[in-house]
């Protein structure tokens, strides 16, 4: 029983980390109908900015500065890209975010360098053993994983409150529902987009710091996005809770597959297993677990 | 003045249904073909063949395949690299395990194997639509990456994981000089472009376009979405599989799964979008753009005489590439093919636009 619980717990922790990135996708899709492929590049960029700033100054200052950079980026993206592509089809906007991805990846490494930069949050790295009396050998957990889970939880809670309780949140939901209708009742579309890209920049920064403190800040951080994509399609593009539940399912599924299926059909499963799992779920519910059901009319 | 169709009357059904109904267009296409088949082999340098023309033609073939799926049937696929990989490894295994088989037959069989794989991964399209489908096709990419790097049988137990294609021999000759390879690829690309062009104006092509424009409406007027979608996946995968086999055998020579990774898939979708969705000509234009652009970006600092480190240059290349993609999408979301169509329209009324 002990090892199984350990695997499941490990999976849940990994899942929370995926959810952190997936949240960024969901936010932008919800508010502007754009599937933002650049989320991974934003994670990289934010983490690079934070890592390099924190070499020179205390962490809170670095955090605020990095956030400033992300807001600036959000503004530029709205100004230079989205504004010119209003009313284009989803696929065109999707591909434009590929352009943004390449641009940000190049820019980030050009400004901040392309080595591996550590982020040290001063947390204990050694895993702790708990429940030693219940199971033989106990269960290993990492403190920083627990912290990441707490951060993700807090983030989701505050985002949910922001979306449901504030005026801006209501405006965001209106824009997500219908651009033109929102505009006609006087919601400033452009400002909403800047806000939502800034919020997802904030999510990217948090995700970047959490991932960066685990892996070190390096180019491969941008590839985390590819891990988060199955989470988003599994949970549904439009659902914040979906991103969390999806992340947990994918995290646990991946770890279980690696431990129990890996030895049978060969290792290295984790790259495609998540996609396979998401596909199976999609066959049953094509809009993802919590996505909005979509009705076709002729 | 020169491009005008007045005085050209269609007097038979055959003329009415001709692929190119305007005489000047026919002359132009013949001219292009003569240049491509005769003039270019006489004068082009080896570098031009190896670095530009051969990759361009093979990728154009793959782009046509992808365009049939994305541009004509409206099913977005981000897994083209995976299907090219299936084509490449099927061709390799067929060529190595059945040495007597004619290489052209090997390519066709590799295309058919890819067709089966493509239809399997096309099944979700019956349930899932739009962006969900697009990201779901990434499953094919990651699964194939894993399959061909982990299962040793496919690579004939090669210890390094990379495989080398046997020489291309048929009709008693070995086709290994750049010119011969170019002619081979050119012939195949032209043949398949012609097939694609005819396919999309046939019954099946019309059912794809109806599905693309509105699948529910198409279903109501009697088009079976299962047939339309799966046939689009099948035909598209066939093209892409052959392109993959050619890419491996003719362009790369020896390769590993990394040659067909996710970046290949992304660059394929760029070709289709930048070239123009739903246009065979656009597939060629897009492929040319994506093949030539990185080479140009690489050369520009040299020409300008700016001393620049390789790392900086590669970062700048990323940035410029990204910016150009955004620029093109903003300026002409319908792609280079639309620019071509506009130019033709303008030429028709030139020099008296009123």
């Amino acid at each position: 029983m002990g090892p199984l619980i350990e695997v499941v717990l490990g999976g849940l922790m990994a899942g929370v980390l995926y959810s952190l990135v997936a949240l960024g996708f969901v936010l932008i899709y919800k508010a502007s109908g754009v599937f933002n492929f650049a989320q991974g590049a934003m994670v990289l960029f934010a983490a690079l900015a934070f890592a390099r700033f924190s070499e020179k100054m205390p962490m809170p200052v670095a955090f605020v500065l990095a956030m400033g950079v992300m807001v600036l980026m959000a503004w530029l993206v709205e100004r230079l890209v989205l504004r010119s592509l209003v009313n284009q089809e989803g696929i065109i906007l999707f591909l434009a975010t590929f352009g943004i991805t390449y641009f940000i990846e190049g820019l980030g490494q050009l400004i901040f360098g392309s080595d591996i930069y550590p982020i040290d949050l001063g947390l204990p790295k050694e895993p702790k053993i708990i429940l030693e009396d219940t199971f033989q050998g106990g269960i290993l957990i990492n403190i920083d994983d627990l912290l990441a889970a707490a951060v993700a939880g807090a983030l989701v809670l505050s985002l949910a409150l922001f979306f449901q309780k504030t005026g801006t949140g209501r405006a965001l939901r209106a824009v997500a529902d219908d651009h033109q209708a929102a505009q006609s009742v006087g919601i400033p579309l452009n400002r909403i987009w800047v806000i939502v890209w800034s919020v997802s920049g904030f999510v990217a920064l948090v995700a970047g710091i959490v991932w960066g403190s685990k892996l070190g800040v390096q180019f491969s951080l941008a590839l985390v996005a590819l891990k988060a994509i199955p989470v988003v399609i599994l949970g549904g593009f439009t659902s914040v809770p979906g991103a969390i539940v999806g992340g947990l399912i994918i995290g646990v599924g991946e770890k279980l597959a690696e431990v129990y299926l890996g030895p049978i059909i060969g290792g290295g499963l984790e790259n495609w297993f998540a996609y396979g799992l998401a596909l199976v779920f999609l066959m049953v519910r094509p809009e993802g677990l919590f996505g909005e059901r979509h009705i076709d009319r002729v | 003045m020169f491009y005008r169709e007045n005085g050209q009357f269609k007097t038979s059904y055959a003329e009415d249904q001709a692929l190119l109904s305007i005489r000047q267009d026919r002359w132009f296409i013949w001219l292009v073909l003569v240049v491509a088949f005769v003039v270019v082999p006489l004068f082009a340098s080896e570098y031009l063949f190896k670095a530009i023309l051969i990759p361009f033609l093979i990728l154009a073939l793959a782009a046509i395949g992808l365009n049939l799926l994305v541009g004509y049937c409206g099913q977005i696929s981000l897994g083209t690299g995976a299907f090219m990989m299936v084509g490449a490894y099927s061709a390799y295994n067929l060529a190595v395990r059945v040495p007597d088989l004619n290489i052209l037959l090997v390519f066709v069989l590799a295309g058919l194997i890819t067709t089966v794989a493509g239809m399997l991964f096309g099944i979700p399209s019956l349930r899932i639509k739009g962006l969900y489908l697009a990201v779901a096709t990434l499953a094919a990419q990651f699964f194939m990456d894993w399959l061909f790097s982990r299962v040793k049988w496919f690579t004939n137990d090669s210890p390094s994981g990379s495989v080398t294609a046997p020489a291309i021999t048929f009709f008693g000759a070995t086709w290994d000089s750049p010119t011969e390879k170019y002619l081979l690829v050119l012939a195949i690309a032209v043949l398949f472009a012609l097939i694609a062009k005819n396919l999309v104006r046939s019954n099946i092509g019309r059912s794809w376009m109806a599905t693309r424009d509105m699948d529910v409406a198409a279903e109501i007027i009697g088009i079976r979405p299962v047939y339309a979608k799966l046939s689009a996946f099948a035909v598209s995968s066939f093209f892409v599989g052959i392109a993959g086999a050619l890419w491996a055998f003719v362009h790369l020579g020896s390769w590993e799964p990394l040659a067909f990774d996710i970046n290949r898939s992304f660059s394929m979708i760029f070709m289709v979008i930048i070239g123009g969705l739903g246009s065979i000509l656009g597939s060629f234009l897009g492929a040319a753009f994506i093949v030539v652009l990185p080479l140009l970006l690489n050369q520009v600092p040299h020409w300008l005489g700016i001393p620049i480190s390789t790392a900086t240059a590669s970062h700048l290349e990323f940035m410029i590439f990204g910016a150009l993609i955004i620029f093109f999408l903003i300026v002409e979301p319908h792609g280079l093919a639309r620019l071509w169509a506009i130019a033709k329209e303008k030429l028709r009324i030139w020099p008296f636009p009123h």
Side-chain angles (χ1 to χ4, degrees), chain B residues 75-198:
Chain B
Q75 312 296 310
I76 304 155
S77 165
L78 297 177
T80 320
F83 298 123
M84 288 178 76
M85 186 156 36
V86 175
Y89 280 94
S90 323
Y92 169 75
N93 278 297
L94 285 166
V96 168
R97 286 167 211 277
V98 195
D100 298 333
L101 209 56
N102 185 314
I103 192 78
L104 294 181
L105 205 58
V106 166
F107 289 156
V108 171
L109 286 175
L112 288 175
I113 293 172
T114 317
T115 304
V116 175
M119 284 173 78
L120 275 179
F121 279 95
I123 290 174
S125 72
L126 305 176
R127 262 309 260 172
I128 316 168
K129 286 177 193 169
L131 282 174
Y132 281 94
L133 177 67
V135 278
T137 53
L138 281 174
Q141 183 66 50
F142 290 110
F143 179 72
M144 295 300 174
D145 272 348
W146 175 83
L147 188 69
F148 291 113
S149 50
R150 293 287 172 153
V151 181
K152 291 291 171 207
W153 186 83
F154 290 114
T155 49
N156 209 5
D157 294 310
S158 120
S160 65
S162 93
V163 294
T164 304
I168 301 172
T169 16
F170 63 95
F171 303 145
T174 305
W175 295 56
D176 56 358
S177 82
T179 318
E180 288 161 351
K181 284 178 171 176
Y182 163 77
L183 285 173
L184 172 69
V185 175
L186 180 66
I188 295 177
V190 168
L191 176 70
F192 276 92
L194 199 63
I195 294 176
K197 193 84 193 161
N198 278 300

Side-chain angles (χ1 to χ4, degrees), chain B residues 252-272:
Chain B
L252 296 175
S254 65
W255 72 93
E256 47 192 25
L258 208 60
F260 300 97
D261 68 351
I262 193 161
N263 291 321
R264 171 61 50 218
S265 299
F266 290 159
S267 73
M268 290 311 304
I269 201 99
F270 286 142
M271 281 176 210
V272 172

Side-chain angles (χ1 to χ4, degrees), chain A residues 29 35 37 80-81 84-85 88 91-92 94-96 98-100 102-103 105-107 109-110 114 226 229 233 236-237 265-269 271-272 275 279 282-284 286-288 296-298, chain B residues 76 78 121 123-124 127-129 131-132 134-136 138-139 142-143 146 150 214-217 220 262-263 266 269-270 273 277 311-312 315-316 318-323 325-326 329-330 333-334:
Chain A
Y29 190 82
F35 188 81
F37 192 79
L80 300 177
V81 183
S84 321
L85 286 171
Q88 293 292 351
I91 178 74
I92 300 287
F94 178 48
L95 284 164
F98 272 93
I100 300 175
Y102 282 108
F103 191 82
E105 281 173 3
L107 184 70
Q109 296 184 73
L110 192 69
S114 43
L226 291 174
I229 286 179
I233 49 176
F237 282 150
I265 57 172
L269 286 177
N271 275 336
W272 64 268
Y275 282 92
L279 261 183
L282 282 184
M283 293 303 265
V284 183
E287 308 85 8
D296 284 315
R297 293 192 181 84
V298 180
Chain B
I76 304 155
L78 297 177
F121 279 95
I123 290 174
R127 262 309 260 172
I128 316 168
K129 286 177 193 169
L131 282 174
Y132 281 94
V135 278
L138 281 174
F142 290 110
F143 179 72
W146 175 83
R150 293 287 172 153
M214 192 177 225
D215 51 353
V216 183
I220 287 167
I262 193 161
N263 291 321
F266 290 159
I269 201 99
F270 286 142
I273 302 281
L277 282 170
T312 315
H315 297 153
L316 275 177
F318 262 75
M319 289 171 62
I320 297 173
F321 188 69
I325 285 170
I326 297 172
L329 289 174
I330 290 174
H334 299 285

Side-chain angles (χ1 to χ4, degrees), chain A residues 189-209:
Chain A
L189 210 53
N190 296 326
R191 197 161 72 212
I192 291 297
W193 278 345
V194 175
I195 291 174
V196 81
W197 277 74
S198 306
V199 174
S200 81
F202 172 70
V203 174
L205 178 57
V206 175
I209 292 172

